[in-house]
């Protein structure tokens, strides 16, 4: 129930933010962006996510918890997205 309320609040906030946005300006800005910078930013983002997940894996190892790398990285990435997108 709480997650549903958080999702509804998130949708409401996005609706308020997007209501007054001129999408032609947004698309023009995106179209004028340099592709190499976008690719570089994406590489840094993925690297940061993997690095943060690997730090957690190392901490779990200290506590004798065996966490398989790839599933843990996937779960960490999903959790980071939800933490960013859903308020509360």
């Amino acid at each position: 129930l709480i997650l549903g309320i958080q999702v509804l609040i998130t949708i409401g906030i996005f609706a308020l933010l997007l209501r007054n946005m001129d999408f032609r300006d947004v698309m023009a800005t995106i179209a004028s962006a340099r592709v190499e910078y976008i690719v570089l930013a994406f590489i840094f983002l993925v690297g940061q996510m993997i690095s943060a997940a690997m730090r957690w894996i190392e901490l779990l190892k200290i506590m004798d918890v065996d966490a398989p790398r790839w599933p843990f990285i996937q779960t960490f990435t999903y959790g980071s997205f939800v933490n960013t997108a859903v308020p509360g």
Side-chain angles (χ1 to χ4, degrees):
L1 178 66
I2 293 175
L3 179 62
I5 293 170
Q6 288 176 331
V7 169
L8 287 176
I9 291 171
T10 301
I11 291 171
I13 290 171
F14 276 118
L16 286 172
L17 291 173
L18 297 176
R19 176 177 62 162
N20 297 323
M21 188 176 292
D22 184 5
F23 288 101
R24 285 177 288 213
D25 286 345
V26 172
M27 293 309 293
T29 301
I30 291 172
S32 68
R34 294 179 58 178
V35 175
E36 59 269 19
Y37 288 152
I38 294 171
V39 170
L40 186 62
F42 183 76
I43 289 170
F44 278 122
L45 175 65
V46 170
Q48 183 274 331
M49 287 288 190
I50 292 172
S51 174
M54 296 302 286
R55 286 193 312 257
W56 275 106
I57 289 171
E58 291 303 314
L59 287 172
L60 290 172
K61 280 183 186 176
I62 292 170
M63 296 185 299
D64 293 326
V65 175
D66 183 32
R69 278 187 164 69
W70 183 243
F72 189 85
I73 291 170
Q74 289 175 318
T75 303
F76 181 84
T77 303
Y78 172 75
S80 295
F81 170 76
V82 170
N83 184 49
T84 301
V86 178

